[in-house]
Amino acid sequence: MRHLIGIGDIDERTLPDLMSRAGLWKAWRSRGALEWSTEPLKGKLLITDFYEPSTRTRLSFEAAMSYLGGRVIGTENAAEFSSSKKGESVADNFRVISGYCDCIVGRFKNDGEAALAAVNSIVPLINGGDGQGEHPTQALIDYFTVTNHFNLGGELACADRTLRVTFLGDNKRSRTVKSLVRLLSKEPKVGYVSFISPPELAVENELLDELEDHGIMTTCRAHLHPNIIHGTDVLYVTRSQNERGDTVDAAEYALTPELADLMPDDAIIMHPLPRNLELPTSIDSNKRARYFEQAHNGLYVRMAILEWLLG
Ligand code: CP
């Protein structure tokens, strides 16, 4: 039985399979959901068990399971409405509810709780984000968005270009940054990664080491200088995760329309959402903005993940 706890659970053969299957689902939906004639997960039941708030992860997983013909039950506020409120442990909770379903998506307050849940689960467990730990399904969505835009992989791969990815925001506490960096470190087309954040949100050395071990050059700065943005192909912006410690004012490092316009014409601006002041709505009309498409890609990538684990 497989679980998806961190990016390390996706091997080299699985990644292209997931990307290609997600691409297929995206193409099918663009032709209209009514044409869907297959329900590969008919008869299967997914539980969504979320101990922290979510819009995209929970609802796109629930939509994905429904489109695949399966059913969903769950709680959007397990911290309040499950028996954890009465002191039940994560281990006991997942030992019990895994007996009711075929797969579980969980979101957890603390790092490591997804792994603890998986050890106690008798069905596949998907980590929908654990504290400052990992958010592997978001990273797969981000990877799908980047590789589709730049035609990485497959016959159309642009052979003569390496990409520069710049992370702007909470590079310390953001689990989406952590998982995406781990995934990108294995992507041969990524040559350069920059981390821009106020000192309190600076990336930890462990992630820099992972990139450098794969031959990817890195830089860390406190401000988004024009010379960095000028060479950036993918700008990945994140909010300050103020619920996890010190509060940092996102306006301190906000992207401006003027800076966004310095990016190459075919560059993209991404954000896992939700956003705060770091990504003003004035950027939405910029041709490089891809964050709503990125969020919508969540449906297709999560359909592929559910098929992989349950098909
Ligand atoms: N990106 C993301 O995980 O969004 P939600 O917190 O809304 O699920």
Side-chain angles (χ1 to χ4, degrees), residues 53-58 107 135 138 175-176 272-274 302:
S54 166
T55 296
R56 281 146 288 272
T57 308
R58 187 174 63 82
R107 172 164 288 184
H135 196 347
Q138 179 67 49
R175 55 199 177 202
T176 66
L273 304 176
R302 286 175 171 137

Side-chain angles (χ1 to χ4, degrees), residues 14-89:
T14 305
L15 183 60
D17 286 351
L18 287 175
M19 295 299 110
S20 118
R21 199 69 193 156
L24 194 71
W25 286 122
K26 186 169 184 172
W28 275 39
R29 187 148 195 261
S30 72
R31 296 201 298 267
L34 288 177
E35 280 184 40
W36 295 18
S37 57
T38 173
E39 294 189 320
L41 299 189
K42 195 175 170 73
K44 304 279 189 189
L45 181 67
L46 174 73
I47 284 184
T48 52
D49 196 25
F50 278 55
Y51 288 83
E52 280 193 344
S54 166
T55 296
R56 281 146 288 272
T57 308
R58 187 174 63 82
L59 292 177
S60 63
F61 260 119
E62 293 186 359
M65 190 64 178
S66 302
Y67 277 125
L68 292 167
R71 286 172 298 146
V72 183
I73 59 171
T75 172
E76 63 194 37
N77 187 355
E80 195 60 31
F81 297 123
S82 78
S83 286
S84 76
K85 186 82 176 169
K86 296 182 270 184
E88 187 164 48
S89 67

Side-chain angles (χ1 to χ4, degrees), residues 163-305:
L163 297 181
R164 180 173 183 155
V165 182
T166 298
F167 289 91
L168 170 67
D170 195 338
N171 294 322
K172 181 179 183 180
R173 301 176 296 192
S174 170
R175 55 199 177 202
T176 66
V177 169
K178 212 170 283 176
S179 291
L180 182 57
V181 165
R182 290 198 168 126
L183 194 50
L184 291 179
S185 71
K186 297 174 192 158
E187 171 51 60
K189 292 287 181 187
V190 173
Y192 212 123
V193 175
S194 299
F195 294 94
I196 317 294
S197 51
E200 311 91 289
L201 305 181
V203 66
E204 289 180 342
N205 286 338
E206 186 192 342
L207 273 193
L208 295 173
D209 292 345
E210 284 187 38
L211 288 165
E212 285 161 15
D213 286 349
H214 286 86
I216 297 173
M217 287 188 284
T218 63
T219 51
C220 300
R221 297 276 185 278
H223 300 286
L224 189 56
H225 291 293
N227 62 337
I228 289 183
I229 192 108
H230 193 68
T232 292
D233 300 296
V234 177
L235 180 64
Y236 194 94
V237 188
T238 47
R239 73 183 173 91
S240 175
Q241 304 260 315
N242 292 335
E243 69 273 31
R244 306 198 194 285
D246 294 341
T247 296
V248 175
D249 181 1
E252 261 186 60
Y253 61 86
L255 183 63
T256 63
E258 293 74 26
L259 278 170
D261 275 336
L262 295 178
M263 296 177 74
D265 274 352
D266 67 346
I268 55 174
I269 300 166
M270 299 173 65
H271 194 303
L273 304 176
R275 65 171 155 187
N276 297 144
L277 295 177
E278 72 283 351
L279 185 62
T281 54
S282 53
I283 306 290
D284 295 0
S285 55
N286 190 298
K287 64 183 175 190
R288 302 168 188 86
R290 286 291 182 284
Y291 27 93
F292 290 113
E293 178 187 335
Q294 179 188 354
H296 291 163
N297 285 339
L299 174 64
Y300 316 116
V301 174
R302 286 175 171 137
M303 288 175 79
I305 291 168

